[in-house]
Amino acid sequence: MTHGAGCYVFDSQGKRYLEAMAGLWCTSLGFSNKRLIDAATAEYGNFGFYHTFNHKTPDVTIELAEELVRISPVPNARAFFATSGSEATETMVKLSWVYHAARGKPGKRKIIARDRAFHGSTIVSASMCGLSRMQREFGLPLPGFLHTLCPDAYHGRLEGETEDAFTDRLAAELERLILSVGMKPDMMALAKGISSSYFPISAVILSEAVHEALAEFNKDGELFGHGFTNSGHPVGAAVSLEALRIYHEMDVVAHVRKMGQRLRDGLQSASVGSRIVGQIRGAGLMIGVELVADPATHAPFPPALRVGAMFDEQAMANGLIIRPMGDIIGFSPPLIVGEYEVDEMAALFGKTLAEVESRIATPHTASSAG
Ligand SMILES: Cc1ncc(COP(=O)(O)O)c(C=O)c1O
C-alpha cells in the first residue's frame, strides 16, 4: 500500500480500495485528515519528544489526560498512557495486581476473559485471549487466566433456548466466575481511535480506588515499577486532543448510529437470495457477516474450504478491504463514512458474495482460495 485519502487506500499498482476496516479498526477519521496532520506537525515543531516519568509530563499530555478523564464514565478517574492496546491491557492487569497487593491481598491475581476474545500479543494480553493460535506455541495462558463463554447467540444457544435465556445463562456464568474470584471491573483500556491511529498511543482509565491503592503503594518510595519510554508522547497527545475535538464537533455517536444502520440495511439487502449468509450482527459501524454452509441449521463450512479467505481475495479484486475472521466478514469503516461510501461498501459486498457463492458451487475453483 502506498497512500490513503478519505476512506480509500491505494496500492503500488495504483489500484484503489474502499477501506471497510479503517486499517485494523483504527483510522476513525480516515486516511488524510488535515487537522490531525496539522496538529502533529505543530507539536513536532514544539516538542519532538518528552516522557511522563518523575513528574516531568508534557503539558499537552496532561491536557489529554484531563480531557479523557472528563469524558470517561468512571468517576474521579485518572489516565495512564502507553503506546499500544496490548500495553494498555497488560497495564490493567498489573494495576489490578498492585491494587490487591496494596490492600494486603497479593495472592489475588486471577483474570477472567472470554473465549474467542482478542486482547493483544504480549505475554499477559495473549494469556487473556480466548484464541489458541495466540497461545499454543508460547506455553500460554499464564496460570490464573480464566475464560468464560463467548456471547455468540448464533452458535451458542441451546436447543429451544431464546436469545434472552441465552443472555441470562451467560450473565449467570460470568457472575459465578466473578463471585468465585471476587472481582469488580473498574478500569478501561483505550487505543486505536484515540488518535485515529495517526500516532501510536493508548491509555488506561483507572478508578479512584485503583489510584488510591497505587498512591498507598508508592507512599514509602516503593515506586510502581511500570511504564514505557514513549508513553504519553506529546505528538500523540496533540493528535489525540484534536481527534477528540473532531469527534465532538461531528457528533460522532449519532453519525455512527445513522451510518451503521444504513450499512447494516445495505448488507442485508445485498444478501437477499444468498444461500450462505447466516447472520449479520454488530453495533454501530462494527458489523460482522457470518457465512455458513447452511443458514437453516447454522452449520459452518468445512475449514479447509477457507471461505473467509476466499471472500477476502475476491473483495480485494473488487477494490474492497474487509477483515475475514474465519468465515465472518468484518466491517469497521472509518467513522467519517458518508452515505456514498456506505452504499458502495454494500454494493461491493453483494458483488463479492455472488462471486464467492459461484466459486463455492464449482469445487475445483473453491479449493484454490488463498
Ligand atoms: C480489543 C483489542 N484489544 C487489544 C488489542 C491489541 O492492540 P495492539 O495491537 O495495539 O497491541 C486489539 C488489537 O486489535 C484489540 O482489538
Side-chain angles (χ1 to χ4, degrees):
M1 294 299 170
T2 55
H3 64 287
C7 298
Y8 297 87
V9 292
F10 299 80
D11 72 12
S12 48
Q13 312 299 312
K15 183 173 163 92
R16 189 182 84 151
Y17 301 86
L18 179 54
E19 233 299 1
M21 274 301 299
L24 288 169
W25 299 269
C26 287
T27 47
S28 325
L29 298 175
F31 292 90
S32 54
N33 188 287
K34 174 125 175 40
R35 283 177 60 179
L36 298 187
I37 298 162
D38 289 348
T41 309
E43 191 55 35
Y44 272 123
N46 180 57
F47 218 171
F49 165 76
Y50 213 71
H51 62 83
T52 57
F53 288 67
N54 301 335
H55 309 285
K56 295 183 181 66
T57 304
D59 57 356
V60 66
T61 307
I62 294 173
E63 200 186 327
L64 175 62
E66 286 170 350
E67 182 58 10
L68 290 175
V69 161
R70 190 184 69 75
I71 61 177
S72 103
V74 182
N76 302 320
R78 305 287 171 122
F80 179 98
F81 290 107
T83 49
S84 68
S86 302
E87 288 172 357
T89 308
E90 186 121 356
T91 297
M92 291 200 298
V93 172
K94 288 170 94 174
L95 281 170
S96 70
W97 288 343
V98 164
Y99 171 80
H100 290 300
R103 290 158 53 102
K105 295 180 181 166
K108 209 163 171 180
R109 293 170 63 85
K110 287 190 180 135
I111 303 292
I112 300 175
R114 289 201 181 275
D115 288 337
R116 290 170 51 191
F118 181 78
H119 292 289
S121 18
T122 55
I123 297 292
V124 162
S125 58
S127 291
M128 291 171 73
C129 292
L131 299 164
S132 72
R133 69 170 184 277
M134 298 303 297
Q135 302 173 336
R136 66 186 169 222
E137 283 87 17
F138 313 114
L140 300 176
L142 293 172
F145 284 73
L146 313 176
H147 291 86
T148 186
L149 305 171
C150 174
D152 174 2
Y154 188 64
H155 291 292
R157 264 195 280 172
L158 302 174
E159 184 97 27
E161 193 176 36
T162 63
E163 196 147 334
D164 283 350
F166 171 78
T167 309
D168 289 348
R169 182 161 62 84
L170 262 62
E173 166 62 15
L174 182 58
E175 188 176 15
R176 193 191 60 72
L177 259 176
I178 288 173
L179 290 175
S180 75
V181 294
M183 285 178 183
K184 162 167 106 45
D186 53 3
M187 285 184 268
M188 293 170 67
L190 318 173
K192 300 185 189 257
I194 184 176
S195 68
S196 190
S197 282
Y198 277 44
F199 197 93
I201 182 166
S202 64
V204 175
I205 302 298
L206 46 130
S207 70
E208 193 169 20
V210 175
H211 177 255
E212 277 171 3
L214 208 54
E216 177 65 23
F217 188 80
N218 282 342
K219 83 173 185 311
D220 299 325
E222 276 296 323
L223 285 177
F224 171 48
H226 180 72
F228 307 97
T229 303
N230 286 295
S231 298
H233 193 291
V235 175
V239 171
S240 300
L241 273 168
E242 190 65 4
L244 292 178
R245 276 182 215 114
I246 300 171
Y247 293 142
H248 180 69
E249 287 166 23
M250 68 184 273
D251 195 359
V252 69
V253 175
H255 181 72
V256 164
R257 283 204 182 109
K258 198 163 150 217
M259 289 303 123
Q261 190 57 53
R262 190 177 179 100
L263 179 57
R264 222 173 148 128
D265 291 347
L267 295 173
Q268 200 79 56
S269 312
S271 305
V272 171
S274 161
R275 285 167 285 112
I276 64 168
V277 171
Q279 191 188 41
I280 301 176
R281 57 176 175 261
L285 276 167
M286 201 179 275
I287 299 175
V289 181
E290 181 154 358
L291 305 179
V292 291
D294 183 357
T297 61
H298 304 192
F301 283 109
L305 204 52
R306 305 191 69 215
V307 171
M310 192 194 305
F311 195 100
D312 184 30
E313 180 187 276
Q314 199 70 41
M316 287 285 284
N318 289 333
L320 174 70
I321 296 183
I322 49 82
R323 174 98 173 156
M325 289 160 284
D327 294 341
I328 301 166
I329 308 306
F331 290 83
S332 181
L335 306 184
I336 54 161
V337 274
E339 293 180 354
Y340 176 83
E341 287 99 351
V342 163
D343 294 350
E344 187 184 8
M345 221 170 274
L348 291 175
F349 166 80
K351 175 170 162 38
T352 307
L353 181 65
E355 290 162 353
V356 166
E357 288 204 41
S358 73
R359 279 178 71 174
I360 292 169
T362 320
H364 73 275
T365 319
S367 64
S368 71

